[in-house]
């Protein structure tokens, strides 16, 4: 029995999934804590140990591993090199080559986590009916991954799809972590929604239930917006409007059939997609036919499903540079 392993490496947790190579069926999924000691050098050995443990429990050995795919929270080039990954303390590191030391006969690939999640939605999720799509994830930050005709759009430096750092927002938000100002990443993710809501409350005397909450979250803001809180509605429409303008720019550049919205903030459903579309259609001029904007379907499994798809068949999914 040949097994695929999909690994979604995060700064706090690592998600793993074991898949049947022929059917692509998910056999098991589990999490481990990310060990960041020794400048992240324990991460790959820890993942290898988990895979070896799965094989042992199921009476399998290393010859039963067809492939191991990994999603990494940072830019990854076509050869699997990571120049810098701040969250994992990696610099000039190739995780696929490191994993190969433990599984020399397996097909091993690594990619940016947003690109890998986009591939997951493309093969098994909301994008499976389309040939071209862009996944946008709204979590702690904003991530993006582009799939064109089954290939991941990588870019010369692995930065394609970084919609979070399109600067279309107001400059009153301070500097983004990237050094620019007005980036989508300062408004559309969970942290951006909370930041903007606090600004609205400070500058506006209007009534809002959020004034009674000491440490409200983006979910609280969205929940109150659904209940008709005018200041919460203003916040959601403003933050998602920034994203909508950036998406219009991306649509003019590569014209995907569909935008798929994922990440924790997307759990607010049509509240989010309606606010995005409202501003998006105001800024997309060249045709009356607008690209679809839909919600992701795979949730937290998108990363492991995409990572396994990356190695499901050698050469099946390529990169556009």
């Amino acid at each position: 029995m040949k097994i695929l392993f999909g690994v979604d490496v995060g700064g706090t947790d690592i998600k793993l999934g074991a898949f049947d190579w022929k059917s692509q069926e998910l056999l098991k999924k589990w999490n481990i804590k990310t060990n960041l000691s020794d400048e992240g050098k324990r991460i790959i050995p820890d993942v290898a140990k988990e895979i070896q443990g799965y094989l042992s429990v199921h009476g399998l050995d290393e010859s039963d591993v067809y492939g191991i795919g990994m999603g990494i929270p940072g830019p990854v080039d076509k050869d699997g090199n990571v120049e810098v990954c701040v969250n994992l303390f990696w610099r000039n590191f190739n995780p696929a080559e490191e994993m190969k030391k433990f599984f020399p006969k397996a097909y091993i690939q690594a990619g940016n986590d947003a690109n890998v999640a986009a591939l997951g939605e493309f093969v098994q999720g909301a994008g499976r009916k389309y040939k071209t799509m862009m996944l946008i994830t709204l979590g702690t930050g904003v991530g993006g991954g582009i799939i064109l005709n089954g290939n991941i759009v990588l870019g010369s430096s692995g930065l394609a799809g970084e919609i979070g750092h399109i600067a279309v927002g107001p400059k009153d938000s301070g500097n983004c972590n990237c050094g620019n100002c007005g980036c989508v990443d300062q408004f559309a993710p969970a942290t951006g929604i909370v930041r903007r809501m606090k600004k609205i409350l400070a500058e506006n005397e209007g009534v809002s239930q959020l004034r009674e909450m000491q440490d409200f979250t983006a979910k609280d803001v969205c929940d109150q917006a659904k209940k008709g809180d005018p200041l919460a509605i203003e916040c959601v429409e403003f933050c998602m409007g920034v994203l909508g303008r950036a998406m219009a720019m991306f649509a003019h550049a590569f014209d995907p059939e569909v935008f798929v919205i994922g990440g924790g903030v997307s759990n607010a459903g049509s509240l989010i997609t309606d606010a995005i579309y409202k501003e998006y259609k105001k800024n997309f001029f060249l045709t009356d036919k607008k690209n679809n904007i839909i919600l992701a379907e795979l949730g937290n499994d998108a990363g492991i499903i995409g990572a396994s798809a990356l190695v499901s068949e050698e050469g099946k999914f390529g990169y556009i540079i």
Side-chain angles (χ1 to χ4, degrees), residues 42-251:
R42 293 301 314 160
I43 293 172
I44 298 301
D46 283 354
V47 171
K49 183 179 179 181
E50 290 294 316
I51 293 173
Q52 289 163 345
Y54 178 92
L55 296 173
S56 177
V57 167
H58 293 85
L60 304 170
D61 60 35
E62 292 178 14
S63 66
D64 294 303
V65 180
Y66 179 84
I68 301 170
M70 294 180 284
I72 308 298
V76 183
D77 70 17
K78 65 180 178 61
D79 298 315
N81 296 308
V82 177
E83 183 177 349
V84 58
C85 182
V86 177
N87 292 345
L88 305 181
F89 304 110
W90 287 352
R91 287 186 178 274
N92 300 313
F93 184 69
N94 191 308
E97 286 184 359
E98 195 66 23
M99 186 64 77
K100 199 79 174 176
K101 295 176 182 178
F102 297 92
F103 300 95
K105 296 180 181 179
Y107 177 41
I108 301 175
Q109 292 285 305
N112 168 264
D113 56 356
N115 289 339
V116 166
L119 185 59
E121 288 289 345
F122 180 75
V123 296
Q124 288 193 31
R128 64 187 178 276
K129 298 177 182 178
Y130 302 90
K131 291 182 179 179
T132 63
M133 62 159 277
M134 179 173 186
L135 174 69
I136 300 170
T137 57
L138 307 177
T140 305
V142 177
I146 303 168
I147 307 293
L148 293 180
N149 296 319
N151 296 304
I152 296 171
V153 179
L154 194 64
S156 61
S157 302
L159 294 175
E162 285 287 357
I163 195 171
H165 297 290
I166 299 294
V168 293
K171 306 298 183 182
D172 63 359
S173 52
N175 284 341
C176 178
N177 290 335
C178 74
N180 203 350
C181 190
C183 291
V184 172
D185 208 56
Q186 294 177 277
F187 300 95
T191 50
I193 291 171
V194 170
R195 187 185 304 113
R196 192 68 189 181
M197 190 70 237
K198 288 180 177 178
K199 181 177 176 63
I200 290 172
L201 291 173
E203 296 177 352
N204 193 307
E205 295 181 356
V207 176
S208 174
Q209 288 295 317
L210 293 162
R211 293 190 191 279
E212 313 302 319
M213 301 182 190
Q214 202 165 27
D215 294 307
F216 59 79
T217 65
K219 182 179 183 302
D220 294 326
V221 176
C222 292
D223 286 346
Q224 291 304 315
K226 289 179 180 179
K227 293 177 181 178
D229 185 313
L231 297 188
I233 292 171
E234 177 186 340
C235 177
V236 170
E237 292 197 343
F238 183 90
C239 291
M240 294 304 108
V242 172
L243 175 59
R245 289 196 294 278
M247 286 167 57
M249 289 184 175
F250 265 68

